[in-house]
Amino acid sequence: MKYYLYILKSKTSDKYYTGISEDVERRLEFHNTREKGFTSRYRPWEVVLKKEFDNKAEAIRAERNVKRWKSKVMIGKLIKQEIEIPE
């Protein structure tokens, strides 16, 4: 089953959110309407990156690598395809 790493960008603030899902559009709708945590404070969100992986384990590994950066600059470079997600 395919999984996706996705990065959302807030349309109202300079914030990013990184996650994984089998259905990115469903997750975007969830973050923009029902989620009560971090993403609820910075609505609305838009998908700025969606990368497909062959399985959940690969997607989780990629998500952890991106989250370790803790850097908007690095996420921006990833979105612009200036860098790749480290394996």
Side-chain angles (χ1 to χ4, degrees), residues 68-85:
R68 277 188 198 118
W69 290 340
K70 298 183 188 243
S71 170
K72 289 180 190 175
V73 171
M74 294 295 285
I75 290 173
K77 287 182 178 191
L78 181 62
I79 292 165
K80 293 176 189 171
Q81 298 180 343
E82 295 174 359
I83 61 172
E84 291 288 320
I85 300 169

Side-chain angles (χ1 to χ4, degrees), residues 8 10 12-13 15 17 27-45:
L8 306 179
S10 170
T12 60
S13 184
K15 301 285 184 191
Y17 178 85
R27 289 297 293 163
L28 175 63
E29 189 270 331
F30 176 80
H31 288 298
N32 277 330
T33 59
R34 296 190 303 257
E35 206 276 329
K36 302 282 189 241
F38 172 81
T39 60
S40 67
R41 295 182 295 232
Y42 303 106
R43 290 180 183 145
W45 294 90

